[in-house]
Amino acid sequence: MSILQDILIILLAFWMVIDQQGPVITTWFPVIIAMFAGFILGDIQTAMVIGGTFQLMALGVANIGGSSVPNYGLAALVGVYVAIRTTGNIVDAKAAALAVGVPVGMLGIQLDVLGKILTNPLVHKAEKYAHNGQYKKMNQTILFAPLIFGLTTALPTALFVIFGKPIVSFILEVLPKWFTNGLSIAGGILPVVGIGILISMMPIKKHLMYLIIGFIAAAYLKMPMMGVALVGAAAAYNFFRQKVASDKNVALNNNTASDADIEDGDFDE
């Protein structure tokens, strides 16, 4: 069972970057990758806590214009694997995931650049085949590109899967205590920072009452997140109905005004 889980984790790492570059079926977002890793390893709760932490790190980070950014999806995947396999509680799991996952995410920048360098000649070769009408060779050449990109995430994941706890223990021993403690503190602060970023992009002044209701439900009434989400869905549905009714009234008033103008014009004539 353990070997099968290891193989599935490596395959997930391979598929993650291919999905990012192409079909985007499962998405490469850390929280989604962590969820699949949690399913595979049998600890969804720990995986989602770690995935949510890395997801907040990834907010506002995008590889625009072909630039390379930290691969937080890879960081979350490796972090979840290491945390679940080497720790027994959420606090230690988050600390281990951050200590291992953050460097792996930064390594993802270099691996992404390397993948782009290696696939660049393939694109030019496929373009040459396309100009010559050799479409079969063009397709065969293009297929190597996903393989290369998949290896940029599958190989580092395989290292952690194969060497397991010893390589994690080595990394944790090399890293100073103040650094790992700092990562743990950062992991606790990140949810607040992430929520702050989201709030800054939302029309809070217009819908402040909904924010207050949600805060009261979660902080004071201790309502579960599913309950808060349902309250939000009900509020959104009510707002949608009011918006539709308001637009209909505006359209009706505009039509009435137009008819009145036409009648007045006919009477004047």
Side-chain angles (χ1 to χ4, degrees):
M1 184 64 179
S2 178
I3 296 176
L4 177 60
Q5 289 175 333
D6 293 347
I7 294 173
L8 290 176
I9 288 292
I10 296 173
L11 291 177
L12 178 59
F14 185 86
W15 165 255
M16 177 182 65
V17 70
I18 294 177
D19 188 57
Q20 175 186 2
Q21 301 292 335
V24 192
I25 297 173
T26 57
T27 80
W28 65 97
F29 296 117
V31 68
I32 303 298
I33 296 300
M35 180 186 70
F36 284 110
F39 275 122
I40 294 172
L41 298 173
D43 191 349
I44 298 178
Q45 181 181 3
T46 301
M48 293 306 293
V49 170
I50 296 171
T53 301
F54 282 106
Q55 183 66 57
L56 292 170
M57 288 183 179
L59 287 176
V61 178
N63 54 336
I64 299 174
S67 61
S68 297
V69 297
N71 192 333
Y72 289 113
L74 177 61
L77 177 60
V78 173
V80 167
Y81 178 84
V82 170
I84 293 177
R85 285 295 176 87
T86 60
T87 61
N89 59 75
I90 294 292
V91 176
D92 292 340
K94 186 186 292 187
L98 289 170
V100 176
V102 171
V104 171
M106 300 303 294
L107 176 63
I109 299 177
Q110 311 305 327
L111 295 175
D112 183 63
V113 173
L114 178 62
K116 290 175 179 177
I117 292 174
L118 294 176
T119 55
N120 188 56
L122 295 176
V123 175
H124 291 295
K125 192 171 183 179
E127 185 179 16
K128 182 179 179 181
Y129 285 135
H131 286 310
N132 295 333
Q134 298 173 294
Y135 300 114
K136 186 176 181 179
K137 289 185 177 181
M138 178 194 74
N139 291 329
Q140 292 173 346
T141 303
I142 288 295
L143 287 176
F144 283 101
L147 176 62
I148 293 174
F149 271 111
L151 291 176
T152 61
T153 50
L155 286 179
T157 303
L159 289 176
F160 281 93
V161 169
I162 293 171
F163 293 103
K165 192 172 181 178
I167 192 171
V168 177
S169 300
F170 174 76
I171 293 174
L172 294 178
E173 288 176 4
V174 171
L175 293 175
K177 191 69 177 178
W178 61 264
F179 182 74
T180 55
N181 289 340
L183 290 175
S184 299
I185 295 172
I189 296 175
L190 279 172
V192 180
V193 176
I195 292 173
I197 293 173
L198 290 175
I199 289 177
S200 67
M201 297 185 294
M202 297 170 64
I204 294 300
K205 292 182 179 180
K206 184 178 180 181
H207 305 293
L208 181 61
M209 59 179 178
Y210 298 117
L211 177 64
I212 295 174
I213 292 172
F215 178 78
I216 292 173
Y220 292 97
L221 301 180
K222 306 299 181 182
M223 184 182 294
M225 284 297 103
M226 181 59 71
V228 177
L230 291 174
V231 171
Y237 178 68
N238 182 59
F239 176 80
F240 173 75
R241 289 184 60 186
Q242 291 178 348
K243 180 67 174 175
V244 171
S246 176
D247 291 342
K248 286 183 178 179
N249 290 334
V250 171
L252 181 61
N253 291 334
N254 289 337
N255 290 335
T256 303
S258 299
D259 293 340
D261 291 339
I262 293 174
E263 290 178 359
D264 292 340
D266 291 341
F267 179 77
D268 292 338
E269 292 179 357

